[in-house]
Amino acid sequence: MTETLPRFEDILEIVSGYNPECDEDLLRRAYVYSAMAHRGQVRVSGEPYLVHPLEVARILAEMHLDDLTIATGFLHDLLEDTWVSEEELEEQFGEHITGLVKALTKITTMEQSYAARAAAQAENVRRMLLASIADVRVILIKLADRLHNMRTLGYLHEEARRRIAAETMEIYAPIAHRLGMGRVKAELEDLALLHQHPEEYRRLTEQMRQREAMAAALIAEIRSMITKLLEENSISAEVRGRIKHLHSIWTKLRRQGIGLERVYDFLAFRLIVGTVPHCYGALGLIHQLWRPVPGRIKDYLAMPKPNAYQSLHTSVIGPEGQPFEVQIRTKDMDEIAERGIAAHWLYKEGKEPGQDAERVSWLRGLVEGHQENPRDFLNSLKLNLYPEEVYTFTPKGEVFAFARGATPIDFAYRVHTEVGQHCVGARINGKLMPLRTALANGDIVEILTSPNQVPSRDWLEIAVTARAQNKIRAWLNRGEKEQAVETGRKLLERECRKIGVSLKQLREEERLAQIAAEHGYGKEEDLLAAVGFGRISLRDLLAPLVRTRPVTPVPSPKDRAAAVPEGSVITVKGQRDLLTYRAQCCNPLPGDEIVGYITRGKGVAVHAANCPNVRKLLFTAEREVEVEWGGVTGAFSVPLHVSFEDRPGMLAAISQEANGENANIRSCHLATHEGQLGTADLVVDVNGRDHLEKLLVVLRRLPGVTTVETSVTTQTRHLRVL
Ligand code: MN
């Protein structure tokens, strides 16, 4: 497929269509900056990488979102996939956009084990949801990102396609659904179906195409009948006839175990009318014309779905005996049904785009207080994302919708946390019932409380909603948490000692608070508890500290051996776009045998194969990757430690020899010691292993020189074990 590069001007046109006062300058700057940072990068499809952020921005523009969100769409992959740093981004675009981009930057794990990948996936989802509570734009951008990735999924290999499609079905489509974004949800589901069941997808599409052709006349006929009927009764309406989306038909075939030829209600009509009374009026007229199917009339006007969806639904038996579905709603309701939370972002005169309190609190319920392991988190998330709903009432007639299987405990926590904590029983439809009774549609529930009651562990088995589960768990964990903090502190102290860092100092330098924040914890205490509960691995936690400590004392801090000038000098086999840098403990040079180790967030550290550090402590076999020298050009800085007899002209002699070998001296630090001994700490540029060896030979031969050492060789005394 050759997707042409979307034009910035087209996106701008969409935006100014709904928001004439948009900040064109901001959008253009974001676009240009993204183009610059992604320059030279290529997607798996072979297209320029820039296609992706442009398409994501376009999807966001089609959702009619605000400037800030669209600008972030252009920039959303910068921190993850380019050299742009947080500081630079903040300087260019400010705190707000940088915050959004940070929230969208995944933790990645190169670990191959399923458990490690699953844990990283859970953590990514958890962080994204947390960030979305603060600003729902995070999840809107993530959905746009996922949508474009799903549209271009075909270029990946099969295993990745299946994994991403499954994740889309389990997490992102349900989230889109719960946020009321019907259009995005439908497209995600259809694309997931294509990659999860390609054969069936193709067969179904083909069959649908044939039936659509056959049904065209029927659709036209029913449409004109409805239009005429409504006109005669002075209800103006827009009538749309359509074939249902593929995934919903497929689900139906699966559920009923039938073939497509036996599915009749793949036709659906939508009536968009002016007012609520017209909705009911139209429903009555439809029922006069065609007989309704019993049990299929649904009034989501009086009782909106939890995602705020409102519509009247009915199924009727059509002119030739085939059933079809009719949905009736107002224009506003249709807007909400198709675009959900994004509809709230529409610019109203002079108003800031608003949050949607109801849906945000639902998001909060999904993530708050989760103390268990990542797999449990994902399972409970999935359960809460795809509920079949039951509608229940308080004695005062307030409606609460729950996932099927919800019990009076869920109901009690829904009323109020305090009611939940103290509930002892429930009266359902006037009868006293046990707490584990599953609530049914239409139940009127009254909760009985006692001040002496407290939550118990078996409540976790009885409650099904994330909200109740989290509250119960939080209560039960209060005592356990104190213990976990203590355990976490001890573990952290021990681990810090191992790598020669003081916990006290970390705290004073506020590094600990920073690490806590990076892992999504607001307080140091929560971080320690997480360590104590075993939810974060200490290795991951401390990796950045190890990385930033200088491992080798190098001559001059200013001029220490620099990173490889170009990322392309060393490449990781099979993965050209990973960042690499030369480890400072051994400074490998072209010609050396090298191995790569994946560090957290900084790319791949390249060590000499015989560097003793590579086998130590933090490095584990899963992190090792094969690397190779690419087309090498340029100079590599190498520290040299030269000892010599202290006599005049030594430095001149040394620098002359270096010049003679074409090795540029970048810095030099001289010292004299007792016993007529002098030392020089130099940083010289060489172009590879052979060049260095030659230089060493020449310098060692120089009269007066006693030793020449470099951390680049393996026998160096500079090496300190981590
Ligand atoms: Mn992306």
Side-chain angles (χ1 to χ4, degrees):
M1 185 172 80
T2 51
E3 201 177 346
T4 50
L5 196 64
R7 292 173 56 233
F8 171 76
E9 308 302 329
D10 295 342
I11 296 169
L12 191 62
E13 199 179 308
I14 301 174
V15 179
S16 40
Y18 64 87
N19 179 18
E21 280 152 42
C22 66
D23 186 347
E24 187 183 329
D25 176 57
L26 171 70
L27 297 179
R28 194 176 294 276
R29 276 197 302 123
Y31 158 67
V32 170
Y33 196 76
S34 172
M36 194 190 69
H38 287 299
R39 192 178 46 206
Q41 293 179 340
V42 173
R43 299 193 91 205
V44 183
S45 60
E47 303 160 331
Y49 193 91
L50 186 62
V51 168
H52 173 65
L54 273 166
E55 286 292 349
V56 169
R58 169 149 74 187
I59 292 169
L60 293 167
E62 282 162 356
M63 291 180 184
H64 292 197
L65 297 174
D66 62 307
D67 300 335
L68 202 77
T69 312
I70 295 162
T72 310
F74 285 118
L75 303 168
H76 77 277
D77 273 334
L78 288 194
L79 293 182
E80 193 165 315
D81 293 332
T82 74
W83 287 88
V84 171
S85 71
E86 254 176 71
E87 292 75 26
E88 273 173 67
L89 196 62
E90 193 165 329
E91 208 171 285
Q92 293 289 330
F93 294 99
E95 212 176 312
H96 200 151
I97 286 181
T98 308
L100 290 173
V101 176
K102 268 169 74 181
L104 287 158
T105 302
K106 289 198 302 254
I107 339 166
T108 48
T109 175
M110 297 297 291
E111 299 197 23
Q112 293 303 303
S113 81
Y114 174 77
R117 276 212 322 257
Q121 183 206 19
E123 189 55 23
N124 283 330
V125 173
R126 196 180 72 90
R127 281 191 194 187
M128 180 192 66
L129 292 174
L130 269 175
S132 306
I133 294 168
D135 191 334
V136 171
R137 284 176 266 208
V138 170
I139 195 130
L140 296 179
I141 299 164
K142 184 67 209 180
L143 286 171
D145 181 36
R146 178 53 61 117
L147 186 56
H148 184 245
N149 284 337
M150 285 298 290
R151 285 179 185 168
T152 52
L153 200 55
Y155 296 103
L156 300 187
H157 58 87
E158 183 168 342
E159 198 271 331
R161 271 199 326 251
R162 282 184 190 280
R163 177 165 44 78
I164 294 169
E167 191 187 58
T168 299
M169 278 313 289
E170 284 171 350
I171 295 167
Y172 294 101
I175 287 177
H177 172 65
R178 285 302 299 258
L179 295 176
M181 306 172 74
R183 205 181 296 162
V184 172
K185 174 205 169 220
E187 190 179 347
L188 286 177
E189 285 180 343
D190 282 357
L191 289 167
L193 181 65
L194 163 65
H195 293 288
Q196 285 184 303
H197 304 280
E199 278 308 305
E200 287 174 64
Y201 180 93
R202 271 175 208 114
R203 207 170 52 232
L204 200 55
T205 320
E206 179 52 28
Q207 287 175 325
M208 288 304 298
R209 213 179 47 77
Q210 291 170 7
R211 301 199 65 165
E212 205 171 340
M214 278 160 40
L218 186 62
I219 292 178
E221 186 193 343
I222 295 175
R223 254 192 68 177
S224 75
M225 286 176 83
I226 294 176
T227 311
K228 185 158 164 273
L229 180 70
L230 295 176
E231 262 169 23
E232 284 167 7
N233 289 277
S234 321
I235 294 177
S236 58
E238 183 193 335
V239 181
R240 301 179 205 149
R242 65 188 176 101
I243 306 259
K244 288 180 176 176
H245 86 268
L246 219 52
H247 186 266
S248 72
I249 293 170
W250 182 79
T251 316
K252 184 167 199 135
L253 297 179
R254 273 271 163 120
R255 195 169 53 217
Q256 301 181 351
I258 52 175
L260 186 64
E261 61 295 341
R262 296 197 41 225
V263 174
Y264 294 107
D265 55 351
F266 61 90
L267 286 185
F269 291 84
R270 187 171 295 158
L271 278 52
I272 311 295
V273 299
T275 63
V276 170
H278 280 177
C279 290
Y280 290 105
L283 180 72
L285 292 170
I286 297 285
H287 285 173
Q288 277 175 33
L289 197 56
W290 296 297
R291 190 163 49 79
V293 178
R296 294 286 301 272
I297 307 168
K298 301 207 178 94
D299 185 348
Y300 297 116
L301 254 58
M303 286 204 281
K305 287 192 180 187
N307 66 7
Y309 176 88
Q310 285 192 294
S311 189
L312 295 174
H313 289 190
T314 185
S315 288
V316 296
I317 308 294
E320 281 156 41
Q322 71 292 86
F324 61 90
E325 191 185 67
V326 182
Q327 302 177 347
I328 308 168
R329 56 207 190 209
T330 65
K331 183 126 193 49
D332 282 358
M333 293 172 188
D334 190 50
E335 186 78 355
I336 301 269
E338 296 268 293
R339 313 198 310 114
I341 199 165
H344 294 239
W345 245 259
L346 272 177
Y347 268 79
K348 309 248 158 55
E349 280 297 312
K351 272 194 200 155
E352 267 286 285
Q355 291 273 30
D356 182 325
E358 185 95 351
R359 293 196 177 98
V360 172
S361 91
W362 165 75
L363 277 174
R364 193 187 308 274
L366 286 178
V367 272
E368 262 188 358
H370 267 280
Q371 300 284 346
E372 73 273 58
N373 70 47
R375 208 172 41 198
D376 289 348
F377 166 68
L378 275 190
N379 283 340
S380 114
L381 181 69
K382 287 170 196 167
L383 198 75
N384 277 283
L385 280 175
Y386 250 149
E388 270 196 73
E389 289 119 15
V390 291
Y391 293 86
T392 60
F393 299 88
T394 66
K396 285 181 182 161
E398 202 181 339
V399 184
F400 289 153
F402 293 104
R404 199 164 287 280
T407 62
I409 292 186
D410 296 299
F411 192 98
Y413 276 101
R414 181 65 182 76
V415 175
H416 195 278
T417 307
E418 281 301 302
V419 176
Q421 305 290 50
H422 300 298
C423 81
V424 284
R427 208 171 269 137
I428 301 177
N429 304 322
K431 261 179 38 200
L432 210 54
M433 299 293 279
L435 284 176
R436 56 174 69 246
T437 312
L439 298 177
N441 253 328
D443 279 351
I444 300 171
V445 185
E446 186 187 346
I447 298 295
L448 309 173
T449 60
S450 152
N452 299 327
Q453 176 74 316
V454 291
S456 69
R457 197 156 281 281
D458 15 301
W459 284 16
L460 287 175
E461 307 283 308
I462 301 173
V464 303
T465 58
R467 180 190 170 92
Q469 290 257 347
N470 292 339
K471 299 277 183 192
I472 297 165
R473 212 173 277 117
W475 198 91
L476 294 172
N477 282 338
R478 279 196 316 193
E480 287 174 23
K481 188 177 173 189
E482 281 158 31
Q483 274 189 346
V485 171
E486 202 36 51
T487 315
R489 190 187 320 277
K490 280 187 191 144
L491 287 171
L492 196 58
E493 261 165 11
R494 197 177 65 196
E495 207 59 29
C496 280
R497 264 202 305 279
K498 272 195 205 159
I499 61 166
V501 175
S502 125
L503 187 59
K504 198 168 149 250
Q505 198 186 340
L506 282 184
R507 191 174 293 128
E508 281 162 7
E509 290 170 359
E510 298 197 346
R511 285 285 286 144
L512 208 54
Q514 194 187 334
I515 292 172
E518 278 165 16
H519 287 263
Y521 297 98
K523 284 178 296 185
E524 180 192 324
E525 191 183 68
D526 295 340
L527 178 75
L528 293 176
V531 173
F533 281 125
R535 274 183 290 134
I536 318 186
S537 100
L538 281 166
R539 202 178 63 197
D540 288 350
L541 204 65
L542 295 178
L545 297 178
V546 172
R547 183 187 78 208
T548 54
R549 284 174 60 233
V551 179
T552 309
V554 282
S556 147
K558 265 195 206 144
D559 255 320
R560 74 168 46 145
V564 178
E566 294 284 337
S568 60
V569 170
I570 306 172
T571 54
V572 175
K573 277 192 186 162
Q575 272 168 299
R576 293 188 51 85
D577 48 356
L578 281 179
L579 308 183
T580 56
Y581 68 97
R582 288 157 68 221
Q584 289 184 7
C585 50
C586 52
N587 287 308
L589 291 173
D592 286 349
E593 229 185 283
I594 46 177
V595 288
Y597 278 88
I598 290 144
T599 67
R600 200 182 167 98
K602 204 179 169 183
V604 175
V606 178
H607 293 259
N610 52 7
C611 167
N613 273 0
V614 301
R615 298 292 156 197
K616 294 281 187 270
L617 210 68
L618 293 162
F619 300 120
T620 54
E622 310 96 84
R623 291 188 171 230
E624 183 171 335
V625 287
E626 267 187 76
V627 286
E628 58 196 354
W629 294 102
V632 178
T633 51
F636 295 79
S637 298
V638 168
L640 293 184
H641 182 79
V642 186
S643 309
F644 47 84
E645 292 162 25
D646 189 14
R647 58 189 198 204
M650 272 316 290
L651 186 63
I654 290 170
S655 77
Q656 202 183 340
E657 290 300 335
N659 282 340
E661 291 304 318
N662 275 329
N664 178 40
I665 297 180
R666 292 187 32 185
S667 77
C668 172
H669 181 79
L670 274 182
T672 50
H673 308 274
E674 280 172 47
Q676 302 286 294
L677 200 70
T679 53
D681 282 307
L682 308 169
V683 175
V684 295
D685 288 344
V686 295
N687 60 25
R689 165 60 56 182
D690 293 345
H691 191 191
L692 175 68
E693 293 297 340
K694 213 165 154 226
L695 180 65
L696 289 175
V697 169
V698 172
L699 289 177
R700 282 174 184 147
R701 265 198 217 133
L702 197 66
V705 167
T706 49
T707 59
V708 183
E709 291 174 315
T710 168
S711 64
V712 175
T713 57
T714 53
Q715 73 272 29
T716 170
R717 65 185 172 86
H718 284 322
L719 271 179
R720 196 164 68 189
V721 169
L722 274 173

